[in-house]
Amino acid sequence: MEENYQNHHQMGMMDFDPSGQQMEMDIPGVDTDHHHHHHQQLEMSLVPHQQQNSHEYHNQNLEMEYIQQHGNTPENNVYSNGSFSNSIRPLPIPMSELPDKNILLVLHSFLKKHNLESTAELLKREAHISEHEMRGNIPDADVQSVLSSYVSDENPDEYTDAYNQLKNFIETSLDVYKYEVGQILWPVFVHMYLELVYNEHEMQGKAFFIRFSKMQETYHEADLIALGAIVKKNHLSSENIFRPLSNCLLATSKGSASNLYVIRMSREAQSLLKRFLQEKRLKLVQNIVQDRIFVEVYDGIPRGKTAINVVSGHFMGEACRQDNKVKVYYGLLREPDLQNVQVDPDDEDGSGSTEPSTPSNSATNSTQKSDPVTPASTTAQGGIVPTPSTDQKSTPSKKKKGKKDWLGLSKKGKNDPNAPPITRMPLPELRDIDKLEKAKALRESAKRATLSSDKLPSICMYTLLNVDHIVCCVKWSDDGSLMAVGFSTSMIKIWSMTPLKLKRMKPASELVEIEREADDVLVRMMDDRTGETLRTLRGHSGPVYSIDFSPDKSTLLSSSEDTSIRLWSLLTWTCIVVYKGHLFPVWKAVFSPHGGYYFASAGHDRTARLWATDNHQPLRVFAGHFSDVTALIFHPNSNYIATGSSDRSVRLWDCVSGSCVRLMTGHKGMVDTLLFSNDGRFLVSCGIDTKILVWDISNGGLLAALTFHTEPVHTLTFSREGTILASGGQDCCVRLWNFTKLTEDVLSEEGAAIAPETKKLTCTHLLIGEFPTKNIPIHGLHFTRRNVLLASGPFQLHQV
């Protein structure tokens, strides 16, 4: 099957001959490796479309008349290794029926170019082409123009009849086959309509669209609106979502393997479809199936309606097995050695934690506030200040226990067989401040609440008032001490969620007087007179769609409709860099979890990009989506980037090679948010189709579909130990899911025997908590280091 897949992509087509056998033709001199590179960084490799139409012209005009009269039997095989056999000749073509001589010259040049010498010689002899006429050079553009003229010369009224026959055949088929064969209705409908528009049959195209558009699946509603806007031939060459599908019709375009609609079908269902097309001689449908649809055949029982529906929805069909065969290193990198890192000893009694700093605070109070940070251990921006410990008393045993637990985690990470080599992706060395922050987080993890289905987290809801319809995004820092909100008015506002003020760095004239070697140099750098609880950042000229804090909370990343990405300093509260590479709005921008050196962006230009903060040009450009890239996240080991798109697919990209290593389909609408599990193996996606899908990136399979939300889902977060998944969205409700139970079902032997497409039927028991709000859609969720769940959103005066 892999060989058939590759051969099909090399040719861009699959032929059915009257005997029911598949015919393939290897064209010498044509690059056959483009399938493996069509997701590369800067552009997709494309293969000239001449291969398809020339082969079709060769088969139809030179063979079909003979085959119809004599049959294609082993004794009368008219085609062998790309040329006619010497013992059999096609019937002569009358001079009155010959095409224009220029067209014949173009076809002769095309055959010669691809080393089809015998066929070219036959055409030369039958068309009476002289040596003098062949001396001129025929440009490739002329070849493409001539071949495209043969896209369809059928009676436009036959399109309706052919599609109606196909639909009736599927509806009357046995239930065991009808749903698999029925997958072909949508791509055939689209290609027939585009052919009518291309051949300027506008009235027939309109009637065809009106009659059959209502019969398509509901998740194609947005596609139908875009398709209905294409009514003129020149619309095909304009920028639209159907441009990849219409490329094969354009004289100046090139076809590629990525332009083929993919359908997975059992061998029995495929044989049934092939037999029907041959018996009814539906040339229009047959040509579309051969040239513009890739049918991946598998051996096994045909899938039912539910099994097909759970993985359908992608603009270009399902994912092929070939798309998910590359090995993915989903394990976590080994943790750095923090044995010699000294943390403020006050942390041992809780005063240096990010929970409320007042010693008398009760447990109830600690769940009603976000995690404050004491001035003794951090700056206002979260930078950790080392505190001398020579005068302190002996360390309590609790500290030793926390250190021992951390060493156990480090040892486990070191032996992870699925982790990538440490040198595979060049990551920055951790600074002392980064190590201190990690050590502090590990200390606090020993004091966090252990969550389960019987012990749910406390939830603290922050309501944004008087900002309805202008809040675009909400983001917390890792320790929950800072909350940033992006607005459609182009502003960014940052609140301190602790008693600490947001201070500005002193001017240069005062910094000179500070002793650089002092242990508390970061505290001395800040001007106490400038402390505020709220800071506003201005610089964008359009709505701010995404914001993200660096791991050390020293910088903030933002992206906007103004096509720019800005890096802000949280010490000076000013913009320090503007990154310009996207030409359209940038929907997402996120930091890498390792050091904040790398970051990624995604936008309306259908690409995602990998950047380094010290370089104004992107390091990688990930191209492969067919529409806006609307969701983006780094893998916990920083070796991969996951993207979601409004083409209703999720992809995983290798940051090292720049190639797409996973393609996952199943969403019925735009993908809004992505989130990796804490162990890096599972990927969770959600979007406007109200579904939450869980994927296993080790093989690209769909594990579960969580379907209790009634409106688009905007945000996801995992508890610190990864046992609970929290989700929130436009339905004004926070829902909690038992992720441990889900993974147990999937990874157990009993669960592994369940087909991935049917697991959604067993996920109703995973919902363990629902917490509705009062007309407040959830725009952001975040678990603190002690497993307090923070939520935020704008209050709506009237519920949508």
Side-chain angles (χ1 to χ4, degrees), residues 328-334 418-428 430 438 551 590-600 610-611 619-620 622 633-642 652-658 676-680 697:
V328 170
Y329 298 98
Y330 59 82
L332 303 182
L333 297 175
R334 181 170 58 87
N418 300 305
I422 192 66
T423 57
R424 186 176 186 272
M425 177 82 175
L427 298 174
L430 285 181
K438 281 184 172 292
V590 296
F591 272 113
S592 161
H594 287 82
Y597 175 70
Y598 295 110
F599 68 91
L610 176 67
W611 307 73
L619 307 178
R620 295 283 187 274
F622 306 106
I633 192 171
F634 271 94
H635 189 275
N637 64 27
S638 296
N639 279 246
Y640 300 95
I641 289 175
L652 185 70
W653 306 87
D654 189 341
C655 293
V656 177
S657 66
F676 278 104
S677 61
N678 294 0
D679 62 1
I697 65 171

Side-chain angles (χ1 to χ4, degrees), residues 604-632:
H604 180 66
D605 57 6
R606 306 178 184 179
T607 66
R609 302 176 186 231
L610 176 67
W611 307 73
T613 52
D614 59 358
N615 196 326
H616 67 284
Q617 293 292 337
L619 307 178
R620 295 283 187 274
V621 177
F622 306 106
H625 282 291
F626 295 92
S627 188
D628 299 33
V629 183
T630 53
L632 182 72

Side-chain angles (χ1 to χ4, degrees), residues 451-457 682 684 692 694 704 706 708 717-719 721-727 735-746 762-770 783:
L451 304 180
S452 65
S453 58
D454 299 325
K455 188 176 181 181
L456 301 182
F682 302 104
V684 186
I692 301 172
V694 183
L706 312 177
F708 277 87
T717 187
F718 274 108
S719 61
E721 71 280 2
T723 58
I724 291 181
L725 172 67
S727 61
R735 287 180 168 85
L736 303 179
W737 310 86
N738 190 340
F739 197 76
T740 301
K741 179 64 176 175
L742 188 155
T743 55
E744 286 177 355
D745 291 346
V746 170
T762 63
C763 292
T764 55
H765 64 288
L766 298 179
L767 181 65
I768 57 177
E770 289 184 292
F783 273 101

Side-chain angles (χ1 to χ4, degrees), residues 501-631:
K501 302 292 186 180
L502 304 179
K503 304 173 184 177
R504 187 190 302 273
M505 185 183 292
K506 294 178 180 178
S509 57
E510 298 182 22
L511 291 176
V512 177
E513 303 174 358
I514 298 177
E515 183 182 353
R516 297 185 180 182
E517 302 300 326
D519 292 332
D520 59 346
V521 61
L522 295 179
V523 175
R524 297 185 183 185
M525 289 169 55
M526 309 310 296
D527 191 346
D528 294 334
R529 299 167 296 179
T530 61
E532 298 179 8
T533 58
L534 169 66
R535 290 282 183 177
T536 301
L537 304 178
R538 294 181 174 88
H540 284 293
S541 58
V544 180
Y545 292 122
S546 175
I547 45 183
D548 195 25
F549 288 95
S550 63
D552 63 357
K553 296 185 298 183
S554 63
T555 55
L556 179 79
L557 197 66
S558 64
S559 64
S560 170
E561 188 183 74
D562 62 11
T563 76
S564 71
I565 305 165
R566 288 179 178 263
L567 185 67
W568 308 82
S569 169
L570 301 189
L571 298 176
T572 62
W573 303 100
T574 57
C575 178
I576 51 179
V577 186
V578 179
Y579 301 95
K580 295 184 177 180
H582 292 275
L583 300 178
F584 296 97
V586 185
W587 306 126
K588 293 286 183 180
V590 296
F591 272 113
S592 161
H594 287 82
Y597 175 70
Y598 295 110
F599 68 91
S601 62
H604 180 66
D605 57 6
R606 306 178 184 179
T607 66
R609 302 176 186 231
L610 176 67
W611 307 73
T613 52
D614 59 358
N615 196 326
H616 67 284
Q617 293 292 337
L619 307 178
R620 295 283 187 274
V621 177
F622 306 106
H625 282 291
F626 295 92
S627 188
D628 299 33
V629 183
T630 53

Side-chain angles (χ1 to χ4, degrees), residues 452-468:
S452 65
S453 58
D454 299 325
K455 188 176 181 181
L456 301 182
S458 299
I459 303 176
C460 182
M461 182 71 194
Y462 291 91
T463 301
L464 302 170
L465 300 176
N466 303 319
V467 290
D468 191 15

Side-chain angles (χ1 to χ4, degrees), residues 167-183 265-266 268-269 272 298 301-308:
K167 181 177 69 67
N168 291 336
F169 159 73
I170 293 173
E171 291 176 350
T172 57
S173 298
L174 296 175
D175 288 347
V176 69
Y177 301 119
K178 70 186 314 181
Y179 299 110
E180 278 203 334
V181 179
Q183 297 176 91
M265 194 178 296
S266 66
E268 295 178 3
L272 181 67
Y298 67 90
I301 301 174
R303 296 175 295 169
K305 181 178 180 180
T306 302
I308 293 174

